[in-house]
Amino acid sequence: MSEQPTNAKLSLDELQAQREDVFRSQLDRDPYDLDECTAWAARNAKRGSVSASLSAAKASGRTVVVPRAGVASMEGQRALMRELDEAGAGVLPITVDSLTRELRFDEAARQLAESTATESHLNGFPIVAHGIEATRELITSFSKPVIIRANAVDLRIVAETGMASGGTAFVSGPMYATLEYSKNVRLAESIPKWQYIFRILGHYTERGVPAGDDAVGFAQSGTCSVPSLMLVGVVLDALIMAGQGVKHVMPYAMLQGNIAQDVACCLASEILTQEYLHKLGFTDVATYVASSDWNGAFPHRAADAYGLIATNVVAAAIAKVPLNYVKTIEEGVGVPTAEANAASIRITRYLFRLIGKQADSLMSEDVHFEKELILMQARAVLDAVLDLGDGDPVVGSIHALERGVLDIPFSPNVHVRGNVLPVRDAAGAVRFLDHGNLPLPAESLRLEQQRLAVRAGSGPGLSYQDMIDDLQFLELEDELTAQPNVVAPMEP
Amino acid sequence: MSEQPTNAKLSLDELQAQREDVFRSQLDRDPYDLDECTAWAARNAKRGSVSASLSAAKASGRTVVVPRAGVASMEGQRALMRELDEAGAGVLPITVDSLTRELRFDEAARQLAESTATESHLNGFPIVAHGIEATRELITSFSKPVIIRANAVDLRIVAETGMASGGTAFVSGPMYATLEYSKNVRLAESIPKWQYIFRILGHYTERGVPAGDDAVGFAQSGTCSVPSLMLVGVVLDALIMAGQGVKHVMPYAMLQGNIAQDVACCLASEILTQEYLHKLGFTDVATYVASSDWNGAFPHRAADAYGLIATNVVAAAIAKVPLNYVKTIEEGVGVPTAEANAASIRITRYLFRLIGKQADSLMSEDVHFEKELILMQARAVLDAVLDLGDGDPVVGSIHALERGVLDIPFSPNVHVRGNVLPVRDAAGAVRFLDHGNLPLPAESLRLEQQRLAVRAGSGPGLSYQDMIDDLQFLELEDELTAQPNVVAPMEP
Amino acid sequence: MPRFLRTPRVVIGSIGDDIHVVGITILAHALRNAGAEVIQLGIQTPPEEFVATAIAEDADVVMVSSSNGHAAMWCSQLRADFDTAGAGSILLYIGGNLSVSAATPWESVEARFLSMGFTRVFAPRTQPEVALEALAADLAQLHAPDEQEQGVERV
Amino acid sequence: MPRFLRTPRVVIGSIGDDIHVVGITILAHALRNAGAEVIQLGIQTPPEEFVATAIAEDADVVMVSSSNGHAAMWCSQLRADFDTAGAGSILLYIGGNLSVSAATPWESVEARFLSMGFTRVFAPRTQPEVALEALAADLAQLHAPDEQEQGVERV
Ligand code: B12
Ligand code: B12
């Protein structure tokens, strides 16, 4: 691991040396036998892979619907995956618990021991505790491809274990994991850890497993994200993946409830990712936009949650994304029941089919407006970041974050300035309330200002409190609470 | 009742004479005391009315959500209405059972006697059997205005009873009731019966009850309806209402699953109704477009039904209709439970709020295309119908039906030619498979043909069987049934 | 889809106060496609009209449809009326939505209509093919002894 | 919103492996708005850091947040640690999503955390105002004997 990370590809020798270190220090054992693992995984990938499914979907304009789900025990996880399979999930998820993600493998194993098939003490599947053999057995018992889902700064062992067990795609990258999931870690420290993972994915790809990875970027803060900024992170994650040989990237687009802006975000995600991949010479990377149902606070009533999911899916269907991550109607309540998972996948598939047929007829002027706005802003920031690194996205993003040229709202990370704030306009589209030090074109700010003026009306400008209020925008609770039946008396 | 009905307004004397006949022959009693009834109803209407709620909604761009519901017993109906009230219905419905609609008042009373608060032997509320006193008591116990819902050829006693009991709006008119709800009756016979009802509504209006009426037109065949043809019936119903002094009309728009076409249908419904009202000199009739969730076969799974309702509401919200009739997620199953009613109203209100804010941003090119197409076709047929009556819509529609200048698909009425057939194009928009003898502009048929060509592809043209298949278009069942998990073996 | 060797004659309609027309239209279409002779009575057909028409037209089967929840009211005397009219062995089918409340368990609905004398009671959403199969089987059964060879052929 | 006469000092953070930041951000914002002094520890705060900071900062109350379902793992020793550190009477609040499964009845979750020694256990989706009211009441109670006049004033 060099002091000053760059986007240069790790040699296989460097990778092997790092593997020795990581396995020794974190698991106190030798690394998995990479040749055995890739050979096995390549045979497994002949049965199907996430990338192959997405490639077929993209070609035919269809959408693969993918839930997120993980529980502690093997029995529980198998039952859960079977359920999702039957409900029509196109790819099956194994979401890893957060103790494992934080490298507390022993504690995760202890909690696994206390969990049963029906009661999980963990918020995910402790994949390291279960180990490769058992997880291979689980994955090969399904016909659909499996994605390993986790997010944290250091997922090297998790990624190794997931890929060795037959997962054909993984989640996330340094932008998202560092800025959204960690408190103290700097990019200079986390990027090399992710480059290790991408190099592993790249190696599997060379050996016949077309490993995919979600470029989540700045897509999921739990608050709303201005799409241009969200996609800056997506593109940076994708460039760093490509740097290590990843050939199948799923650029993200988090859906936020304003359909025109969401459609535009999906379209721009594909455009920007390919544009910058090409700019940096990565001309053979396949991209499959992954939209995700709203990732902030959900309404807790099922009927409202159905409404929110429907709004998201309408947008994703208009944009014809090849992949949609589906939330459940119980997101606002807790880990979903089997029925909630099945119902959420059903309404999603129903709407993709129905709206999919009529997608072209629903492209509005405003979709184009939003798309141009996103492209204008994202290009300005991305060009500035790359400039700061003399064309190297790794060097550039490290410098950019220090100067506030990269900055996101509500980050738990202490190294993020946090001067950027989002706010919704009257139509619910997400704009900058404060753009901090982001190098945004004046023209784009003027356009945003025009839209924000409608919400501000004749009152004082929008404030921090408006942003706080927006956190509950998609719950619409108060407005929906029915009035009591107060009967006016008849006049005599 | 003259031999050759026209659109001329009945004098109050004629109305009174007819009332004597109708009450005598159908109920064997004197008519209700019209002065007492209107005076009471006017006092009641000061508490609120359907028209007042719709007028406020129209002015502010909001939507009143209205379910349909009726059960036999007073207790059951009260509980049902309370439930709907709490769930957020903006107007409360009293749907009348079909025995009462068919004038089988005694049999309805017998079935009422056998029904309990929790088990209804009737598919609606037998309003005549319950009588005015009891129904007034029911209606005045709610703060929200009440609509009396029924459909049949002869609803004179039902309408009298509903209005006298405090209902402030009624449903339907001769086009819908005759062509969609009866087997043998001719328009010449049914129109005068409806003119009686409209004259009653007009009289209440003069006395201070702003009585509203749904102009349903040819909107609900249980199959899909080409919007232009649907609206021809709507306008004719509205013109006949206006002829008898109705001042508050709710022109219909049945939502059919293609959003662009549905939005256009809502917009065109308002435009055409006002245009022809003005043409015939009715310049003081207020209109409030009433969209209705899909009125054909529903998916029987709740999650799919949520998806269908969501698709409908998105369209209605984009069109900013003041009134939406909401179906339930159990429509495809049977009379809905309390929970299903509440959940369906909730998702509807949720989506009206969320999409309502962004309605303008979702107007697409295709909405304009569909709107122009609807206007072009509907005007051609309406002008031809009016020509056949020398400007009189009553005379015109009687003649037009005979000649196939008015014609609808799947009518149960033997006097309808039934040469017209609908079919969906590749995007799900409804077109003419066969336009029979309707006088449609060649240009409009050319435009439809272009759209249909996409579905026909290179195969043979579309056929009757395609139309039959379309009946299940919105169920999407087969396509959604999950594949079994057939695991491909790993290669050795 | 089964095809019949001997043309069955089918009387079909919605009973009583029921105005639902789509189901019977599709059913008639499918029956005609399969080679049956269909006498379509349409909506709101009084019980007596089913009996009179079936006898006049020498029907093999009467297919009663009811969707509006009022089926039971109109059907209790139907089998007896056929008996009285001398058509005691006619096949009597019913389908649609047969109870007012969806909560009523299907078994009890089916049992109720079977006890009224219907030969077969079809659950909501029955596809036309299912009705055709049933009819083919019932006719084969009926004509089995005397028309062994003709019978019913499934294609 | 209650306003405090004496400035309460609040230590706040998400515990253990939890990375949810929005709840604690809003809560801190509301506390500051109401006049409290807030020491924000942020996400993934180890239990020991809550104890050390509360003592160093002489806090009146520690507000622990946990949303990822792992609350119980990290909290069982917390009260004991405060006792050991000589801050036995400190107010200890917890909120967020406290059990892995939503199916767990709230009463049992609440009872479990009360028995761990938390002063108050807040249900999911608790609005900041509710926490403020509770804090105002608890502080009033604590200072009631000696600071009768000051107490807590609700505006
Ligand atoms: C379209 C529709 C209407 C249209 C009908 C237009 C028309 N002229 O046909 C309109 C809007 C006018 C209407 C009115 C009413 N309707 Co309606 N309607 C429907 C709806 C949405 C679809 C029906 C349909 O066309 N299905 C498609 C066809 C192809 O399917 P099908 O009729 O079920 O028939 C199939 C099979 O069942 C089978 N089949 C049918 N009959 C038979 C008979 C035999 C022997 C066999 C073998 C097979 C068979 O063949 C078909 C092949 O697939 C259903 C709900 C749903 N299913 O989604 C409600 C529904 C049937 N209606 C219902 C009701 C209550 C009414 C009203 C009474 C409402 C009211 N209170 O105002 C009135 C009826 C008044 C009257 N006098 O009868 C209820 C009935 C509930 C019950 N049984 O208790 C339903 C289920 C809605 C609900 N969830 O409440 N309705
Ligand atoms: C946004 C979100 C995320 C974002 C978080 C971004 C960030 N950095 O904050 C992302 C996507 C990263 C995320 C990740 C995960 N999440 Co999450 N997430 C959510 C979500 C959608 C909204 C949370 C939110 O921001 N709410 C808005 C804020 C304002 O509300 P709040 O946090 O509830 O706080 C309020 C009150 O509760 C109160 N409060 C909170 N704490 C305290 C404390 C005290 C003392 C008091 C008085 C009050 C109080 O104050 C706030 C005022 O309103 C919820 C589901 C939902 N609610 O809709 C799931 C949810 C909380 N997440 C969940 C899970 C499981 C996870 C993951 C483990 C998923 C996974 N397996 O990958 C990871 C966490 C990994 C880790 N290491 O912790 C589950 C937790 C279920 C459980 N308890 O068992 C939930 C409920 C989703 C679900 N239905 O399954 N998540």
Tab-separated table of all heavy atoms in Angstrom, chain B residues 98-99 102 104 111 120-123 181 183 300 334-335 410 412 464 471-472 475, chain C residues 17 19 21-22 25-26 29 41 43-45 68 70 73-74 97 100 102 125 127:
chain	number	residue	atom	x	y	z
B	98	SER	N	-79.014	-3.597	-6.324
B	98	SER	CA	-79.571	-3.715	-7.667
B	98	SER	C	-81.006	-4.241	-7.713
B	98	SER	O	-81.663	-4.144	-8.745
B	98	SER	CB	-78.651	-4.540	-8.572
B	98	SER	OG	-78.415	-5.821	-8.051
B	99	LEU	N	-81.525	-4.770	-6.617
B	99	LEU	CA	-82.965	-5.101	-6.627
B	99	LEU	C	-83.772	-3.812	-6.596
B	99	LEU	O	-84.732	-3.633	-7.359
B	99	LEU	CB	-83.340	-5.973	-5.424
B	99	LEU	CG	-82.954	-7.453	-5.489
B	99	LEU	CD1	-83.373	-8.151	-4.186
B	99	LEU	CD2	-83.621	-8.135	-6.682
B	102	GLU	N	-83.896	-2.138	-9.792
B	102	GLU	CA	-84.799	-2.762	-10.765
B	102	GLU	C	-86.245	-2.692	-10.275
B	102	GLU	O	-87.103	-3.417	-10.782
B	102	GLU	CB	-84.362	-4.203	-11.023
B	102	GLU	CG	-82.985	-4.334	-11.666
B	102	GLU	CD	-82.841	-3.533	-12.963
B	102	GLU	OE1	-83.805	-3.499	-13.752
B	102	GLU	OE2	-81.770	-2.915	-13.163
B	104	ARG	N	-87.656	-3.660	-7.640
B	104	ARG	CA	-88.181	-4.770	-6.868
B	104	ARG	C	-88.065	-4.404	-5.385
B	104	ARG	O	-87.350	-5.042	-4.617
B	104	ARG	CB	-87.418	-6.039	-7.209
B	104	ARG	CG	-87.442	-6.297	-8.731
B	104	ARG	CD	-86.663	-7.530	-9.085
B	104	ARG	NE	-87.392	-8.718	-8.710
B	104	ARG	CZ	-88.022	-9.519	-9.564
B	104	ARG	NH1	-88.019	-9.242	-10.863
B	104	ARG	NH2	-88.660	-10.577	-9.134
B	111	GLN	N	-84.951	-9.014	1.580
B	111	GLN	CA	-83.542	-9.351	1.739
B	111	GLN	C	-82.907	-8.500	2.840
B	111	GLN	O	-82.017	-8.956	3.546
B	111	GLN	CB	-82.788	-9.143	0.413
B	111	GLN	CG	-83.268	-10.037	-0.719
B	111	GLN	CD	-82.931	-11.503	-0.503
B	111	GLN	OE1	-82.055	-11.849	0.292
B	111	GLN	NE2	-83.650	-12.384	-1.198
B	120	SER	N	-74.508	-8.942	4.684
B	120	SER	CA	-75.455	-8.300	3.782
B	120	SER	C	-75.915	-9.274	2.709
B	120	SER	O	-75.086	-9.913	2.061
B	120	SER	CB	-74.795	-7.090	3.119
B	120	SER	OG	-75.681	-6.504	2.195
B	121	HIS	N	-77.210	-9.387	2.531
B	121	HIS	CA	-77.723	-10.206	1.439
B	121	HIS	C	-77.856	-9.400	0.160
B	121	HIS	O	-78.216	-9.932	-0.879
B	121	HIS	CB	-79.084	-10.808	1.806
B	121	HIS	CG	-78.987	-11.960	2.746
B	121	HIS	ND1	-79.543	-13.184	2.491
B	121	HIS	CD2	-78.354	-12.086	3.937
B	121	HIS	CE1	-79.288	-14.011	3.483
B	121	HIS	NE2	-78.564	-13.351	4.387
B	122	LEU	N	-77.641	-8.117	0.260
B	122	LEU	CA	-77.804	-7.239	-0.903
B	122	LEU	C	-76.473	-6.615	-1.284
B	122	LEU	O	-75.606	-6.403	-0.436
B	122	LEU	CB	-78.819	-6.140	-0.583
B	122	LEU	CG	-80.265	-6.600	-0.423
B	122	LEU	CD1	-81.115	-5.478	0.170
B	122	LEU	CD2	-80.833	-7.028	-1.775
B	123	ASN	N	-76.362	-6.284	-2.575
B	123	ASN	CA	-75.117	-5.669	-3.028
B	123	ASN	C	-75.132	-4.148	-2.895
B	123	ASN	O	-74.336	-3.449	-3.518
B	123	ASN	CB	-74.785	-6.097	-4.464
B	123	ASN	CG	-75.932	-5.829	-5.420
B	123	ASN	OD1	-76.827	-5.033	-5.121
B	123	ASN	ND2	-75.914	-6.470	-6.579
B	181	TYR	N	-76.511	-0.803	-19.083
B	181	TYR	CA	-77.180	-1.454	-17.956
B	181	TYR	C	-78.520	-2.062	-18.327
B	181	TYR	O	-79.241	-2.513	-17.447
B	181	TYR	CB	-77.443	-0.426	-16.844
B	181	TYR	CG	-76.428	-0.435	-15.735
B	181	TYR	CD1	-75.202	0.189	-15.898
B	181	TYR	CD2	-76.691	-1.048	-14.512
B	181	TYR	CE1	-74.280	0.206	-14.885
B	181	TYR	CE2	-75.761	-1.037	-13.493
B	181	TYR	CZ	-74.558	-0.410	-13.681
B	181	TYR	OH	-73.640	-0.396	-12.672
B	183	LYS	N	-81.095	-4.311	-21.281
B	183	LYS	CA	-81.067	-5.257	-22.399
B	183	LYS	C	-82.004	-4.827	-23.508
B	183	LYS	O	-81.649	-4.878	-24.681
B	183	LYS	CB	-81.501	-6.619	-21.864
B	183	LYS	CG	-81.587	-7.738	-22.868
B	183	LYS	CD	-81.541	-9.053	-22.120
B	183	LYS	CE	-82.285	-10.192	-22.736
B	183	LYS	NZ	-82.349	-11.338	-21.815
B	300	HIS	N	-56.376	-9.941	-9.061
B	300	HIS	CA	-56.942	-10.342	-7.767
B	300	HIS	C	-55.925	-10.298	-6.648
B	300	HIS	O	-56.272	-10.404	-5.492
B	300	HIS	CB	-57.625	-11.709	-7.870
B	300	HIS	CG	-56.683	-12.853	-8.008
B	300	HIS	ND1	-56.041	-13.143	-9.187
B	300	HIS	CD2	-56.247	-13.773	-7.117
B	300	HIS	CE1	-55.275	-14.205	-9.022
B	300	HIS	NE2	-55.374	-14.605	-7.773
B	334	GLY	N	-63.899	-9.329	-4.383
B	334	GLY	CA	-65.287	-9.266	-3.956
B	334	GLY	C	-65.518	-7.966	-3.222
B	334	GLY	O	-64.660	-7.078	-3.235
B	335	VAL	N	-66.663	-7.850	-2.567
B	335	VAL	CA	-66.951	-6.639	-1.825
B	335	VAL	C	-65.831	-6.439	-0.792
B	335	VAL	O	-65.516	-7.356	-0.040
B	335	VAL	CB	-68.332	-6.743	-1.158
B	335	VAL	CG1	-68.599	-5.540	-0.281
B	335	VAL	CG2	-69.408	-6.861	-2.240
B	410	PHE	N	-69.455	-4.208	-26.813
B	410	PHE	CA	-69.850	-5.031	-25.663
B	410	PHE	C	-71.088	-4.520	-24.950
B	410	PHE	O	-71.199	-4.672	-23.739
B	410	PHE	CB	-68.704	-5.080	-24.646
B	410	PHE	CG	-67.715	-6.153	-24.923
B	410	PHE	CD1	-66.784	-6.022	-25.935
B	410	PHE	CD2	-67.723	-7.324	-24.173
B	410	PHE	CE1	-65.871	-7.027	-26.194
B	410	PHE	CE2	-66.800	-8.320	-24.430
B	410	PHE	CZ	-65.873	-8.175	-25.440
B	412	PRO	N	-74.755	-4.661	-23.584
B	412	PRO	CA	-75.760	-5.701	-23.372
B	412	PRO	C	-77.101	-5.338	-24.012
B	412	PRO	O	-78.037	-6.137	-23.978
B	412	PRO	CB	-75.891	-5.750	-21.851
B	412	PRO	CG	-75.502	-4.389	-21.380
B	412	PRO	CD	-74.522	-3.848	-22.382
B	464	TYR	N	-60.089	-9.891	-33.518
B	464	TYR	CA	-61.038	-10.000	-32.412
B	464	TYR	C	-60.377	-10.688	-31.212
B	464	TYR	O	-60.573	-10.284	-30.072
B	464	TYR	CB	-62.244	-10.811	-32.881
B	464	TYR	CG	-63.421	-10.790	-31.929
B	464	TYR	CD1	-64.370	-9.763	-31.980
B	464	TYR	CD2	-63.594	-11.796	-30.985
B	464	TYR	CE1	-65.450	-9.739	-31.107
B	464	TYR	CE2	-64.670	-11.782	-30.107
B	464	TYR	CZ	-65.596	-10.757	-30.164
B	464	TYR	OH	-66.651	-10.737	-29.306
B	471	LEU	N	-58.797	-7.988	-22.570
B	471	LEU	CA	-59.634	-7.913	-21.368
B	471	LEU	C	-58.796	-8.193	-20.133
B	471	LEU	O	-59.115	-7.724	-19.048
B	471	LEU	CB	-60.788	-8.914	-21.460
B	471	LEU	CG	-61.842	-8.566	-22.512
B	471	LEU	CD1	-62.832	-9.700	-22.662
B	471	LEU	CD2	-62.564	-7.282	-22.132
B	472	GLN	N	-57.741	-8.968	-20.299
B	472	GLN	CA	-56.897	-9.259	-19.142
B	472	GLN	C	-55.621	-8.430	-19.132
B	472	GLN	O	-54.720	-8.683	-18.338
B	472	GLN	CB	-56.569	-10.757	-19.100
B	472	GLN	CG	-57.823	-11.538	-18.753
B	472	GLN	CD	-57.651	-13.031	-18.849
B	472	GLN	OE1	-56.642	-13.523	-19.308
B	472	GLN	NE2	-58.660	-13.760	-18.390
B	475	GLU	N	-54.370	-7.276	-15.845
B	475	GLU	CA	-54.083	-8.289	-14.819
B	475	GLU	C	-52.624	-8.728	-14.915
B	475	GLU	O	-51.993	-9.027	-13.912
B	475	GLU	CB	-55.024	-9.474	-14.980
B	475	GLU	CG	-56.490	-9.031	-14.922
B	475	GLU	CD	-57.433	-10.197	-14.790
B	475	GLU	OE1	-57.183	-11.072	-13.964
B	475	GLU	OE2	-58.422	-10.233	-15.556
C	17	ASP	N	-81.283	-9.779	-11.833
C	17	ASP	CA	-81.021	-8.348	-11.986
C	17	ASP	C	-79.581	-8.075	-12.391
C	17	ASP	O	-79.123	-6.940	-12.328
C	17	ASP	CB	-81.354	-7.603	-10.681
C	17	ASP	CG	-80.545	-8.108	-9.490
C	17	ASP	OD1	-79.917	-9.177	-9.605
C	17	ASP	OD2	-80.553	-7.438	-8.447
C	19	ILE	N	-76.367	-7.315	-14.558
C	19	ILE	CA	-76.090	-6.675	-15.837
C	19	ILE	C	-74.684	-6.936	-16.347
C	19	ILE	O	-74.263	-6.352	-17.346
C	19	ILE	CB	-76.302	-5.151	-15.759
C	19	ILE	CG1	-75.517	-4.537	-14.586
C	19	ILE	CG2	-77.769	-4.792	-15.607
C	19	ILE	CD1	-74.067	-4.317	-14.775
C	21	VAL	N	-71.948	-8.312	-18.457
C	21	VAL	CA	-72.082	-8.898	-19.784
C	21	VAL	C	-70.769	-9.459	-20.326
C	21	VAL	O	-70.766	-10.254	-21.260
C	21	VAL	CB	-72.669	-7.847	-20.766
C	21	VAL	CG1	-71.600	-6.819	-21.163
C	21	VAL	CG2	-73.250	-8.497	-22.006
C	22	VAL	N	-69.656	-9.045	-19.736
C	22	VAL	CA	-68.373	-9.410	-20.347
C	22	VAL	C	-68.114	-10.916	-20.242
C	22	VAL	O	-67.702	-11.560	-21.211
C	22	VAL	CB	-67.213	-8.609	-19.722
C	22	VAL	CG1	-65.916	-8.908	-20.439
C	22	VAL	CG2	-67.509	-7.128	-19.762
C	25	THR	N	-70.156	-12.919	-22.645
C	25	THR	CA	-69.731	-12.668	-24.024
C	25	THR	C	-68.508	-13.500	-24.366
C	25	THR	O	-68.435	-14.144	-25.417
C	25	THR	CB	-69.408	-11.175	-24.217
C	25	THR	OG1	-70.513	-10.409	-23.761
C	25	THR	CG2	-69.130	-10.864	-25.683
C	26	ILE	N	-67.551	-13.508	-23.445
C	26	ILE	CA	-66.332	-14.288	-23.685
C	26	ILE	C	-66.605	-15.769	-23.713
C	26	ILE	O	-66.094	-16.508	-24.536
C	26	ILE	CB	-65.327	-14.030	-22.552
C	26	ILE	CG1	-64.914	-12.585	-22.581
C	26	ILE	CG2	-64.137	-14.929	-22.678
C	26	ILE	CD1	-63.760	-12.329	-21.662
C	29	HIS	N	-68.191	-16.722	-26.890
C	29	HIS	CA	-67.182	-16.684	-27.939
C	29	HIS	C	-66.345	-17.967	-27.924
C	29	HIS	O	-66.136	-18.609	-28.970
C	29	HIS	CB	-66.304	-15.449	-27.699
C	29	HIS	CG	-65.203	-15.259	-28.671
C	29	HIS	ND1	-65.415	-14.921	-29.993
C	29	HIS	CD2	-63.852	-15.354	-28.519
C	29	HIS	CE1	-64.250	-14.819	-30.620
C	29	HIS	NE2	-63.291	-15.072	-29.749
C	41	LEU	N	-78.720	-15.402	-24.153
C	41	LEU	CA	-79.880	-14.675	-23.632
C	41	LEU	C	-79.514	-13.300	-23.099
C	41	LEU	O	-80.381	-12.489	-22.798
C	41	LEU	CB	-80.562	-15.484	-22.523
C	41	LEU	CG	-81.158	-16.820	-22.980
C	41	LEU	CD1	-81.755	-17.564	-21.792
C	41	LEU	CD2	-82.198	-16.612	-24.062
C	43	ILE	N	-78.058	-10.222	-20.644
C	43	ILE	CA	-78.135	-9.859	-19.232
C	43	ILE	C	-79.570	-9.904	-18.713
C	43	ILE	O	-80.522	-10.017	-19.486
C	43	ILE	CB	-77.583	-8.444	-18.989
C	43	ILE	CG1	-78.458	-7.388	-19.677
C	43	ILE	CG2	-76.148	-8.335	-19.424
C	43	ILE	CD1	-78.172	-5.953	-19.228
C	44	GLN	N	-79.702	-9.821	-17.399
C	44	GLN	CA	-80.993	-9.705	-16.729
C	44	GLN	C	-82.031	-10.682	-17.263
C	44	GLN	O	-83.174	-10.320	-17.525
C	44	GLN	CB	-81.501	-8.261	-16.849
C	44	GLN	CG	-80.606	-7.299	-16.072
C	44	GLN	CD	-81.194	-5.909	-15.945
C	44	GLN	OE1	-81.947	-5.481	-16.812
C	44	GLN	NE2	-80.846	-5.212	-14.868
C	45	THR	N	-81.595	-11.907	-17.384
C	45	THR	CA	-82.515	-12.918	-17.882
C	45	THR	C	-83.296	-13.543	-16.719
C	45	THR	O	-82.691	-14.070	-15.780
C	45	THR	CB	-81.730	-14.027	-18.613
C	45	THR	OG1	-80.980	-13.424	-19.657
C	45	THR	CG2	-82.669	-15.074	-19.178
C	68	ASN	N	-73.229	-10.188	-9.741
C	68	ASN	CA	-73.491	-9.055	-8.855
C	68	ASN	C	-73.786	-9.446	-7.408
C	68	ASN	O	-74.152	-8.597	-6.603
C	68	ASN	CB	-74.605	-8.170	-9.435
C	68	ASN	CG	-75.976	-8.820	-9.362
C	68	ASN	OD1	-76.118	-9.941	-8.870
C	68	ASN	ND2	-76.982	-8.114	-9.854
C	70	HIS	N	-76.134	-11.521	-6.313
C	70	HIS	CA	-77.515	-11.911	-6.040
C	70	HIS	C	-77.878	-13.290	-6.581
C	70	HIS	O	-79.066	-13.615	-6.698
C	70	HIS	CB	-78.473	-10.851	-6.601
C	70	HIS	CG	-78.472	-9.572	-5.807
C	70	HIS	ND1	-79.267	-8.492	-6.122
C	70	HIS	CD2	-77.788	-9.201	-4.695
C	70	HIS	CE1	-79.061	-7.514	-5.257
C	70	HIS	NE2	-78.154	-7.911	-4.378
C	73	MET	N	-80.542	-15.651	-4.765
C	73	MET	CA	-81.955	-15.242	-4.824
C	73	MET	C	-82.693	-15.786	-6.035
C	73	MET	O	-83.886	-16.002	-5.990
C	73	MET	CB	-82.054	-13.716	-4.974
C	73	MET	CG	-81.613	-12.933	-3.801
C	73	MET	SD	-81.764	-11.184	-4.292
C	73	MET	CE	-80.581	-10.501	-3.132
C	74	TRP	N	-81.968	-15.881	-7.134
C	74	TRP	CA	-82.639	-16.183	-8.403
C	74	TRP	C	-82.588	-17.651	-8.772
C	74	TRP	O	-83.250	-18.067	-9.727
C	74	TRP	CB	-81.993	-15.364	-9.537
C	74	TRP	CG	-82.078	-13.889	-9.312
C	74	TRP	CD1	-81.113	-13.085	-8.781
C	74	TRP	CD2	-83.197	-13.052	-9.585
C	74	TRP	NE1	-81.561	-11.794	-8.706
C	74	TRP	CE2	-82.844	-11.747	-9.200
C	74	TRP	CE3	-84.477	-13.267	-10.123
C	74	TRP	CZ2	-83.701	-10.654	-9.320
C	74	TRP	CZ3	-85.332	-12.191	-10.259
C	74	TRP	CH2	-84.949	-10.899	-9.851
C	97	ASN	N	-69.552	-14.491	-9.850
C	97	ASN	CA	-69.258	-14.202	-8.440
C	97	ASN	C	-70.513	-14.528	-7.652
C	97	ASN	O	-71.477	-13.762	-7.678
C	97	ASN	CB	-68.942	-12.716	-8.208
C	97	ASN	CG	-67.557	-12.353	-8.672
C	97	ASN	OD1	-67.184	-12.687	-9.799
C	97	ASN	ND2	-66.792	-11.699	-7.823
C	100	VAL	N	-72.334	-12.475	-2.024
C	100	VAL	CA	-72.181	-11.027	-1.881
C	100	VAL	C	-70.834	-10.687	-1.278
C	100	VAL	O	-70.169	-9.749	-1.695
C	100	VAL	CB	-73.328	-10.427	-1.028
C	100	VAL	CG1	-73.046	-8.955	-0.721
C	100	VAL	CG2	-74.649	-10.558	-1.766
C	102	ALA	N	-66.886	-11.465	-0.392
C	102	ALA	CA	-65.738	-12.254	-0.811
C	102	ALA	C	-65.234	-13.111	0.333
C	102	ALA	O	-64.499	-14.078	0.120
C	102	ALA	CB	-64.617	-11.335	-1.288
C	125	ARG	N	-63.444	-16.243	-11.763
C	125	ARG	CA	-62.269	-16.200	-12.624
C	125	ARG	C	-62.004	-17.495	-13.355
C	125	ARG	O	-60.893	-17.721	-13.846
C	125	ARG	CB	-61.011	-15.805	-11.844
C	125	ARG	CG	-61.197	-14.744	-10.783
C	125	ARG	CD	-59.961	-14.509	-9.953
C	125	ARG	NE	-58.906	-14.027	-10.793
C	125	ARG	CZ	-58.796	-12.775	-11.200
C	125	ARG	NH1	-59.694	-11.894	-10.831
C	125	ARG	NH2	-57.826	-12.405	-11.975
C	127	GLN	N	-61.482	-19.789	-16.210
C	127	GLN	CA	-61.187	-19.553	-17.619
C	127	GLN	C	-62.134	-20.374	-18.490
C	127	GLN	O	-62.534	-21.484	-18.113
C	127	GLN	CB	-59.728	-19.923	-17.931
C	127	GLN	CG	-58.707	-18.981	-17.313
C	127	GLN	CD	-58.816	-17.560	-17.864
C	127	GLN	OE1	-58.880	-17.355	-19.073
C	127	GLN	NE2	-58.886	-16.576	-16.972
